[in-house]
Structure formats: C-alpha cells, structure tokens
Amino acid sequence: MNPIRPLLLWLMTLIASQCACQVLAQSPNAQVVATSDVVKVVGGFAFTEGPAATDEGMLYFTDIPNETIHRLSPDGTLSVFTNQSNHANGLWYLGNGKMLACEMDGAIVRYDLASGERRVIADEYQGNRFNACNDCVVDAQGGIYFTDPQYRAPQPLPQSVRAVYYISVDGDVSRLTDDLNAPNGIGLAPDGNTLYVIPSMQSEMLAFDVEGPGKISNQRVFCTLAQPAGKSSSGGDGMTMDVTGNLYITTDLGIQIFNPQGIAIGLVAVPERPANVTFGGPESKTMFMTARKSLYSVEMPIAGL
C-alpha cells in the first residue's frame, strides 16, 4: 500500500470533521423541515390521542370518547387493542411487550400487549383518586413522570390541584409541583437532566432541572409558543423529542419545533389541530400525529428519541 494514502485519508477525515463543526457553530438554530408532505393515514374517530410506536413497528393510539386503544400494523392494518380503555389518553411503550396508559378515569396502568392483561400501577395520592391522568414519560430508572390536569375529572377536583407526579420503581407516588395551568404533555431531555411540561392554558412552556429520580427544581419558562391570529394564550398539548434534543409540541398552529435552547426552529402544519405526536417507522423518522378525528404522518430529517 502507498504509505501516503493512510495519511491522506486521515487528513480528509479531519478536514471533514472540522467543516461539520464549523457548520454547526455557524448555524446553531438551523431550521427543521419535513422531508415529505403530511399524509392522512386513517380517519373517522371521535378524538385521537396518545400515539406510541413499538420496536416491531406497531403504532398504538387512543380514541378517548370511544374508550378505545387502536393498533396500526406496518402494513396499514387497523385493529382494536381494547374497547374498555377507561378513557385512556397518553401511552408509553416500555419495551418487552409492555405499554403504559394514562387513564383519564384516574389511573396509570400497564398493559401486556400479547395477552391484553391490564395492571394498575397507581390510582390515588394521599387517599384520593387522581384527577384525570393525561400523559407520561419514563426515566432511565423506570420511574414514571405523569401529568394530572382537570380534563374529564370529577368536580371538585379529587386532588384539588393540577400537578405533575412521579411513581418510583417501588410504586411510591409523590407530587412534584404546585398547581399548574393544565399540565398536559411531558418529556425528558436525552440526558435525563431536564423535565419538560406542556401546559394547555398558557403560551409559556415549562422546564425543570432533574436532580434525581422524582426530584425536580428550578421551574422556568422554556419557550413561548407562537399564537394564531386573535389568540394570546393558546397552549400546547402533547410533545415528543428527537435524538438531538429538539422538542415537537402540538399546538393550534400545528407541530411547533424548538431546539434545546428554546428557540423556534420549525413548524409542521396539520389539516386538523394535533393533540399528540411521536416518532416511529423503520428509521424512527416518521412523525405520527393524532389530530382530532384522524391520524397523520410525515417524514422528518432527524430520528425520534
């Protein structure tokens, strides 16, 4: 082998790496743009929510008023996983054939996807049922953060406040926040050090430092959503993240995208107002959006987390 060739290859690799770093340094707020048109996958539902993709390529999502969890296979076949979901909203795939569901009737439950067996993880705090469990995210330790706003809850509210809770791997439940303005979507940064909470009744989205499992501090405004004409305080609903830490938040305008610094870097318009969003597909670059009576998809340039 020519002894100069390895040196040339090394130099080319070094130059390419330096160029990439310069591009990133020059455009830290680069826009994220969909790589395909938004496609309506299926419709005819009452109110869709909670999309969750499995390792096998299945997509589960909820139809809240009809108390149904649907299952969409990679070949496009739609089937019913359960029609007794207790108004399940957000879902979270755990791996190993298990999935969490946030029941708005007041419980966090776990399903076995093969048998359909349902197990209650938690359904009360300090002796009272939850208001109406909405959405959740699981940390590296297996603990569950979830939101509990007022939607579909009995009045007066069983918990008296709308808050974020944590269920430890041992099953202990702790309330992490004071009353929030309808906490809805929730997510964790890729490194697990930041918890994001998406309120539905204000334009300011929130972030917290994660000091340890179920221990958060430093509540702050992470970003402020752009507003439709004539509105000033429209909030978010669901959210998901990509592998670089960008947030995708469902809003009146569509999916608003923010980088980890809270700067707006994209918008994906959807024919119906989206309620929740997740990534799936072979490379995890297909973004699925539950939007009112339908399920939509669009291809994106960055893989989901």
Side-chain angles (χ1 to χ4, degrees):
M1 176 184 292
N2 186 335
I4 299 178
R5 186 178 180 186
L7 178 60
L8 289 174
L9 290 173
W10 177 79
L11 286 172
M12 291 171 64
T13 301
L14 178 62
I15 291 170
S17 176
Q18 289 177 337
C19 288
C21 290
Q22 289 173 358
V23 169
L24 288 174
Q26 292 170 1
S27 55
N29 304 327
Q31 295 291 296
V32 175
V33 180
T35 58
S36 76
D37 293 333
V38 173
V39 175
K40 184 174 180 177
V41 179
V42 63
F45 306 101
F47 191 100
T48 57
E49 251 283 6
T54 73
D55 297 333
E56 298 76 27
M58 305 292 287
L59 182 79
Y60 290 79
F61 64 96
T62 60
D63 184 351
I64 297 174
N66 289 323
E67 298 192 60
T68 303
I69 298 177
H70 291 280
R71 176 171 48 202
L72 183 72
S73 67
D75 66 6
T77 301
L78 185 69
S79 58
V80 171
F81 174 70
T82 180
N83 58 7
Q84 300 179 47
S85 74
N86 299 309
H87 300 101
N89 191 325
L91 305 175
W92 185 270
Y93 179 61
L94 293 167
N96 298 318
K98 302 293 191 297
M99 182 176 71
L100 294 176
C102 300
E103 295 182 351
M104 299 183 80
D105 290 0
I108 302 294
V109 305
R110 184 174 66 209
Y111 279 103
D112 183 295
L113 297 180
S115 67
E117 179 186 1
R118 169 186 172 275
R119 176 188 171 190
V120 175
I121 303 300
D123 59 3
E124 64 174 38
Y125 175 71
Q126 294 186 344
N128 295 318
R129 63 159 273 183
F130 296 120
N131 297 332
C133 305
N134 192 289
D135 215 343
C136 65
V137 64
V138 178
D139 64 17
Q141 292 73 34
I144 305 166
Y145 293 90
F146 72 95
T147 54
D148 188 44
Q150 71 274 23
Y151 306 116
R152 279 194 174 272
Q155 296 295 329
L157 294 178
Q159 287 297 331
S160 74
V161 298
R162 305 158 298 171
V164 175
Y165 293 83
Y166 183 76
I167 307 172
S168 71
V169 291
D170 297 323
D172 296 326
V173 180
S174 53
R175 181 187 289 162
L176 306 186
T177 68
D178 295 324
D179 190 57
L180 297 177
N181 212 355
N184 202 321
I186 191 167
L188 280 168
D191 61 9
N193 292 331
T194 305
L195 180 73
Y196 300 101
V197 176
I198 310 301
S200 287
M201 298 179 69
Q202 63 185 51
S203 58
E204 298 81 15
M205 303 296 98
L206 305 177
F208 300 80
D209 292 336
V210 178
E211 300 178 351
K215 297 184 183 301
I216 62 174
S217 63
N218 187 26
Q219 176 180 324
R220 59 194 181 277
V221 173
F222 166 71
C223 67
T224 300
L225 299 178
Q227 298 296 308
K231 288 191 176 183
S232 60
S233 60
S234 174
D237 196 333
M239 68 157 286
T240 192
M241 303 191 72
D242 66 28
V243 293
T244 68
N246 296 323
L247 276 70
Y248 298 69
I249 303 173
T250 60
T251 74
D252 282 343
L253 292 176
I255 311 297
Q256 295 189 39
I257 308 171
F258 295 85
N259 68 14
Q261 289 72 47
I263 298 171
I265 56 171
L267 173 68
V268 177
V270 187
E272 300 174 70
R273 189 191 191 285
N276 217 328
V277 58
T278 197
F279 281 93
E283 298 180 337
S284 196
K285 290 184 178 181
T286 302
M287 189 165 70
F288 291 98
M289 301 156 286
T290 50
R292 295 305 187 262
K293 296 184 178 182
S294 306
L295 171 72
Y296 293 87
S297 70
V298 64
E299 298 303 314
M300 300 299 292
I302 306 172
L305 181 64

